Amino acid sequence: MKIDVSQMSSRLASDHTISDYDFWRALKTINNELYRIERLQLPIPMKMIYARAIITSARNQRRSKMN
């Protein structure tokens, strides 16, 4: 399964039903979960890494459009 980070993040950035707070909260949740996984020395799921990249990129795109 190929994940296109830029395409998915562009879709999320342009979706006005998702607030800036939703982006922040999702990113915070993912980072907290990654921290927990690291502390337990478990393998990090690649989907978590992709999710973080997509949300970070979408959040940055939205910020750049506002400025």
Side-chain angles (χ1 to χ4, degrees), residues 22-55:
D22 293 331
F23 281 127
W24 177 83
R25 187 70 246 169
L27 194 55
K28 179 89 170 149
T29 301
I30 290 169
N31 285 334
N32 286 345
E33 182 62 16
L34 287 171
Y35 176 76
R36 187 188 72 79
I37 290 169
E38 182 181 356
R39 296 287 292 159
L40 295 173
Q41 298 181 345
L42 298 172
I44 297 173
M46 287 304 296
K47 289 182 180 183
M48 295 282 290
I49 302 299
Y50 281 118
R52 183 171 61 178
I54 290 165
I55 292 171

Side-chain angles (χ1 to χ4, degrees), residues 3 18-19 25-26 29 41 52 54 57 59-60 62:
I3 298 174
I18 303 171
S19 70
R25 187 70 246 169
T29 301
Q41 298 181 345
R52 183 171 61 178
I54 290 165
S57 179
R59 193 171 178 215
N60 291 338
R62 187 174 283 183

